[in-house]
């Protein structure tokens, strides 16, 4: 089976000397959820932005078997690679509906209508607020809107950058459970960037650990079923203050 995404030796530099990502390689199978876990500054967002075509990178990015590294962001969106940035980058002054329409800018009117209905069905919290200003939504609802906007593009691969950032655990669980639902029902694959192993495990099939721009370890979800196994990877790879296996 061909991988949906194959990343080979991806490197990202900021300026001549600062290397944020160093020869990172991984694959994403169709319908898989692959997580990249690492502390602040490990290079997670840089990988996502490089995959989305927002920053230059070295190395090879194959999507559905074809190289996409030379394509613009817009062309990648048209292929089905859609980035949802961290920090719920929605347009607060626009309505919820207008934000969603923006996400489907390359779609036909019929597709937009269908996807809008799907998104509002998936996140009923935002449905009654669809004609209200986006800034009035709560943090969790804004995150749902940001993901919804990504889904409006009809992605095959969703690049989700720290969707849990600043959200209460209960809300994160809700958002992740909805994503698990979409994934069960459709063809969607996800690259998920997170700092928290516990949340990641709700959704991911496999986890890559990233430190100082390099992939330093990988675990399949089956290998992370016990508390001891999770604590072992936290100690080995994340060294994360305040992070405990559960
Ligand atoms: P976080 O969880 O804090 O978002 P991250 O794992 O996503 O961190 P990146 O944002 O990819 O990490 O940053 C990786 C490295 O690149 C860091 O050392 C960071 O300081 C540096 N970096 C990120 N963006 C820039 C930039 N625009 N210019 C210069 N250096 C940058």
């Amino acid at each position: 089976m061909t991988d949906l995404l194959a990343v080979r030796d991806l490197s990202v530099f900021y300026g001549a000397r600062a290397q944020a990502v160093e020869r990172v390689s991984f694959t994403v199978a169709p319908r898989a959820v692959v997580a990249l876990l690492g502390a602040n500054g490990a290079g997670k967002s840089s990988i996502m932005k490089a995959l989305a075509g927002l920053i230059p990178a070295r190395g090879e990015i194959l999507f559905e078997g074809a190289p996409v590294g030379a394509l613009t962001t817009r062309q990648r969106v048209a292929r089905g690679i859609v980035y949802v940035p961290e920090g719920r980058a929605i347009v607060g002054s626009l309505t919820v509906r207008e934000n969603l329409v923006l996400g489907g800018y390359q779609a036909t009117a019929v597709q937009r209508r269908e996807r809008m209905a799907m998104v509002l069905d998936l996140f009923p919290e935002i449905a009654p607020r669809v004609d209200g200003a986006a800034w009035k939504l709560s943090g969790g609802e804004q995150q749902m809107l940001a993901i919804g906007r990504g889904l409006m593009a009809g992605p095959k691969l969703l690049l989700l950058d720290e969707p849990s950032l600043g959200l209460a655990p209960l809300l994160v669980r809700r958002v992740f459970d909805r994503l698990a639902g979409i994934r069960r029902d459709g063809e969607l694959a996800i690259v998920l960037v997170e700092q928290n192993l516990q949340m990641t495990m709700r959704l991911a099939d496999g986890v890559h650990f990233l430190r100082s721009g390099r992939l330093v370890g990988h675990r399949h979800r089956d290998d992370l079923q016990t508390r001891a196994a999770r604590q072992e990877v936290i100690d080995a790879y994340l060294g994360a203050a305040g992070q405990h296996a559960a």
Side-chain angles (χ1 to χ4, degrees):
M1 188 168 52
T2 318
D3 289 313
L4 182 68
L5 178 78
V7 178
R8 287 189 203 133
D9 291 332
L10 188 80
S11 294
V12 175
F13 296 83
Y14 292 106
R17 288 221 299 272
Q19 185 162 9
V21 176
E22 208 173 324
R23 300 182 72 113
V24 159
S25 301
F26 66 95
T27 58
V28 181
R31 305 180 67 160
V33 179
V34 171
L36 303 174
L37 234 75
N40 285 118
K44 306 180 298 294
S45 296
S46 299
I47 294 174
M48 298 293 249
K49 288 178 191 158
L51 295 178
L54 292 166
I55 55 172
R58 291 189 196 157
E60 193 174 35
I61 305 169
L62 295 174
F63 187 69
E64 297 183 308
V68 294
L71 300 185
T72 62
T73 299
R74 197 190 171 95
Q75 289 168 327
R76 293 185 210 197
V77 171
R79 295 278 179 102
I81 304 174
V82 176
Y83 176 53
V84 178
E86 73 181 315
R88 309 168 213 146
I90 58 164
V91 186
S93 57
L94 295 182
T95 65
V96 169
R97 186 190 305 277
E98 286 164 342
N99 269 278
L100 290 174
V101 168
L102 272 185
Y105 71 98
Q106 299 198 40
T108 64
V110 173
Q111 285 172 329
R112 266 206 303 272
R113 259 200 309 278
E114 283 173 7
R115 289 176 193 164
M116 176 96 62
M118 180 271 287
V119 167
L120 296 179
D121 188 46
L122 187 67
F123 297 122
E125 292 87 343
I126 60 175
R129 325 277 292 276
V130 76
D131 291 312
W135 65 266
K136 290 188 180 166
L137 298 180
S138 72
E141 290 163 351
Q142 289 187 20
Q143 185 61 65
M144 292 175 194
L145 176 56
I147 295 170
R149 192 176 59 178
L151 294 173
M152 286 293 293
K156 293 176 184 166
L157 178 69
L158 199 59
L159 305 171
L160 268 183
D161 200 343
E162 277 197 66
S164 70
L165 200 70
L167 295 192
L170 191 70
L171 262 180
V172 179
R173 216 167 294 154
R174 202 177 298 164
V175 169
F176 277 25
D177 288 347
R178 308 277 169 79
L179 288 169
I182 314 179
R183 192 199 153 196
R184 264 195 312 274
D185 299 344
E187 292 295 302
L188 187 67
I190 299 174
V191 179
L192 173 69
V193 151
E194 272 296 339
Q195 294 200 37
N196 186 302
L197 179 65
Q198 202 184 332
M199 286 302 169
T200 305
M201 291 303 299
R202 295 189 77 81
L203 199 57
D205 304 304
V207 184
H208 291 282
F209 297 92
L210 193 69
R211 194 194 293 142
S212 306
R214 292 188 195 168
L215 290 186
V216 289
H218 176 263
R219 292 287 187 285
H220 190 268
R221 66 173 295 131
D222 296 344
D223 304 327
L224 293 170
Q225 291 306 312
T226 68
R227 192 189 158 90
R230 291 193 290 274
Q231 192 62 55
E232 186 252 325
V233 294
I234 289 172
D235 294 342
Y237 299 127
L238 299 171
Q243 198 162 146
H244 298 288

